[in-house]
Amino acid sequence: MKKDLFRTDIARAGNIRIDREASGIKGFAGVTKGVTKDARGEFDDLSINSIVELGNKAAVGIKSRFGHPNMSSTALGTFLGRVRDFRRDGDIVRADLHIDKTAFETPDGDLAGYVMNLAESDP
């Protein structure tokens, strides 16, 4: 009997920086060039460049949530803040998460603190 094992790539944090004073995460990796983990699609140079261009067109930034709504859960209380300053770093799209003050006091607790702690402990 064949066992299916879950395998991930090596995590490379790059030049990520957690700025607790400004409530943000600078330089997180949003998209990496290549086939997606579930093999449903692929990001090529055109898509990487388009993400950077379109991400920077949003004057207030792109909304960021802790999770996605689905049939069993809502997105209420999962707003983290806005993503801005999209840039290409080789084959990676990097950006900065500007955490909104409301993310510190959500119905599920301090999501902002949790996300910053997680980014520090396991970038």
Side-chain angles (χ1 to χ4, degrees), residues 38-60:
D38 62 7
R40 291 189 310 168
E42 182 174 357
F43 292 102
D44 60 9
D45 285 314
L46 178 61
S47 52
I48 295 290
N49 291 334
S50 296
I51 290 166
V52 171
E53 179 184 347
L54 294 170
N56 286 325
K57 279 189 176 181
V60 296

Side-chain angles (χ1 to χ4, degrees), residues 27-33 47-49 51-52 86-95:
F28 76 88
V31 176
T32 302
K33 182 179 171 181
S47 52
I48 295 290
N49 291 334
I51 290 166
V52 171
F86 289 77
R87 57 212 178 262
R88 185 165 180 169
D89 178 13
D91 289 340
I92 300 170
V93 174
R94 294 196 181 275

Side-chain angles (χ1 to χ4, degrees), residues 6-16 29 32 37 92 94 118-123:
F6 176 71
R7 178 177 218 133
T8 62
D9 289 337
I10 297 169
R12 291 183 175 88
N15 194 18
I16 188 172
T32 302
K37 298 289 182 205
I92 300 170
R94 294 196 181 275
L118 184 60
E120 283 178 334
S121 71
D122 191 12

Side-chain angles (χ1 to χ4, degrees), residues 51-120:
I51 290 166
V52 171
E53 179 184 347
L54 294 170
N56 286 325
K57 279 189 176 181
V60 296
I62 304 296
K63 184 188 293 184
S64 178
R65 295 185 182 134
F66 183 70
H68 296 285
N70 60 43
M71 290 184 71
S72 355
S73 71
T74 177
L76 184 64
T78 64
F79 177 65
L80 283 172
R82 299 282 176 173
V83 179
R84 298 186 193 110
D85 191 22
F86 289 77
R87 57 212 178 262
R88 185 165 180 169
D89 178 13
D91 289 340
I92 300 170
V93 174
R94 294 196 181 275
D96 301 335
L97 173 61
H98 298 265
I99 297 173
D100 191 85
K101 65 182 180 180
T102 61
F104 289 92
E105 294 181 39
T106 74
D108 290 325
D110 180 4
L111 289 179
Y114 174 75
V115 168
M116 287 190 284
N117 289 342
L118 184 60
E120 283 178 334

